[in-house]
Amino acid sequence: MTTLESDIDDLWQRYDDGLTAADADAGVGRTLDEFLDALEAGEVRAARKTGDGVDSWEATEWVKRGVLLNFGLRETERREYGGVGYYDVLPLRETDDLAARGARNTPDGTVLRRGAHLGDDTIMMSPSFVNIGAFVGDGTLVDSCNTVGSCAQIGEDVKLGANTLIGGVLEPVEDAPVILEDGVSLGAGCRVTSGFRVGENSIVGENTLLTPRIPVYDLVEEEVVYGHLPENRRAFTRFVESSVSDHDLFDGGAYKPAVVATDVETETLEATRREDALRE
């Protein structure tokens, strides 16, 4: 167990025993700040992969506790950014390190909350928001009108199309957050929520909802899976017949959303590559 992990575990026990933000001293603040620094550096992460498959990701519980402690043991106070006042328990993340690492964030609406990791050669377009505990890997594009939720884990060379939502799972601490592995591409308007996991190099069509409650019809393995999309798939939304029968309010049967997954073809991969000009 690392020193930081043991410090967070000790602090969690004190919090569980009744420690409040009003009671927190300078030592508590230093531990919380050290923890946020480690998150931003990518030294600690809210989830880890324990096996070969995308379904093997597990939450790092002590890290998620550390995130929760930053809400429970800090007072809400007035802050200012860009001449605009706001009230929060956390300041926004400093971005002085981005230029040296080749990362870019466009003005007027790219927001990195304290405790968010942004990898090398990443791009954030306005407006977009990355929350505390989130990890955004090297070379990833966070396009306009995107949200990356608390503790979400985004791999390297991922493309988040415009107006996509990556949900975060903060509680319970034992639940893994949303996972997008390396090379994933999401079309515009996609939603990935409730701890859903997308396997590497998969390509998801626009306006697709990925959540554990919606079945994934994997035509490659000829099976129905929930909660994850296997690697190297091309996925899109279709509607399948629901168990709801005819009703006086409508004619015919009812339908429910589903996701269909097929093999990723070479032509599809080529079509989703970002232009080199974005990296110049």
Side-chain angles (χ1 to χ4, degrees):
M1 180 180 290
T2 65
T3 301
L4 181 57
E5 181 179 352
S6 61
D7 288 346
I8 291 296
D9 284 345
D10 290 344
L11 198 54
W12 182 262
Q13 185 60 58
R14 293 173 60 192
Y15 178 66
D16 201 40
D17 290 339
L19 180 67
T20 67
D23 301 326
D25 56 21
V28 170
R30 284 193 296 270
T31 297
L32 295 178
D33 285 340
E34 182 183 354
F35 172 76
L36 293 177
D37 289 341
L39 280 175
E40 292 175 8
E43 296 169 355
V44 299
R45 295 178 60 171
R48 65 190 187 280
K49 194 173 185 179
T50 60
D52 295 330
V54 68
D55 56 349
S56 68
W57 283 84
E58 295 181 359
T60 310
E61 294 186 23
W62 76 267
V63 174
K64 294 183 72 178
R65 291 191 183 103
V67 173
L68 289 169
L69 287 171
N70 271 277
F71 294 108
L73 295 179
R74 292 185 187 271
E75 299 277 13
T76 298
E77 58 183 272
R78 188 185 188 280
R79 305 177 187 277
E80 188 169 308
Y81 183 81
V84 177
Y86 68 98
Y87 290 84
D88 198 0
V89 294
L90 291 171
L92 299 183
R93 182 193 188 284
E94 295 293 333
T95 57
D96 294 343
D97 62 313
L98 299 188
R101 296 190 293 103
R104 293 158 40 196
N105 65 317
T106 59
D108 295 331
T110 53
V111 179
L112 277 166
R113 206 174 189 196
R114 187 84 161 88
H117 173 77
L118 197 66
D120 297 350
D121 300 316
T122 55
I123 297 174
M124 283 185 66
M125 299 299 294
S126 302
S128 57
F129 175 70
V130 180
N131 209 345
I132 179 175
F135 181 99
V136 179
D138 297 348
T140 286
L141 170 65
V142 180
D143 211 338
S144 298
C145 301
N146 288 358
T147 296
V148 179
S150 298
C151 297
Q153 303 292 294
I154 311 298
E156 297 182 0
D157 299 314
V158 171
K159 179 181 178 182
L160 304 181
N163 195 32
T164 60
L165 169 66
I166 309 301
V169 177
L170 192 51
E171 294 184 280
V173 295
E174 65 270 15
D175 283 359
V178 170
I179 307 291
L180 270 61
E181 293 190 333
D182 296 349
V184 167
S185 179
L186 299 186
C190 286
R191 302 288 186 268
V192 188
T193 67
S194 303
F196 195 94
R197 304 150 193 203
V198 181
E200 62 181 16
N201 297 321
S202 286
I203 297 169
V204 182
E206 62 184 21
N207 296 319
T208 300
L209 173 60
L210 298 174
T211 184
R213 296 176 298 279
I214 292 180
V216 176
Y217 289 81
D218 184 10
L219 304 187
V220 177
E221 297 295 333
E222 296 187 348
E223 62 181 0
V224 180
V225 297
Y226 288 84
H228 72 276
L229 176 66
E231 63 184 26
N232 299 309
R233 298 295 194 268
R234 182 172 65 91
F236 47 90
T237 296
R238 287 293 183 267
F239 287 87
V240 298
E241 190 172 353
S242 170
S243 59
V244 177
S245 60
D246 292 348
H247 194 278
D248 291 342
L249 293 178
F250 59 86
D251 295 327
Y255 293 85
K256 61 184 179 182
V259 174
V260 175
T262 64
D263 271 318
V264 169
E265 301 173 355
T266 302
E267 293 80 3
T268 306
L269 288 172
E270 292 291 339
T272 58
R273 289 182 177 173
R274 295 188 296 278
E275 297 179 3
D276 292 339
L278 287 173
R279 295 294 160 199
E280 294 177 355

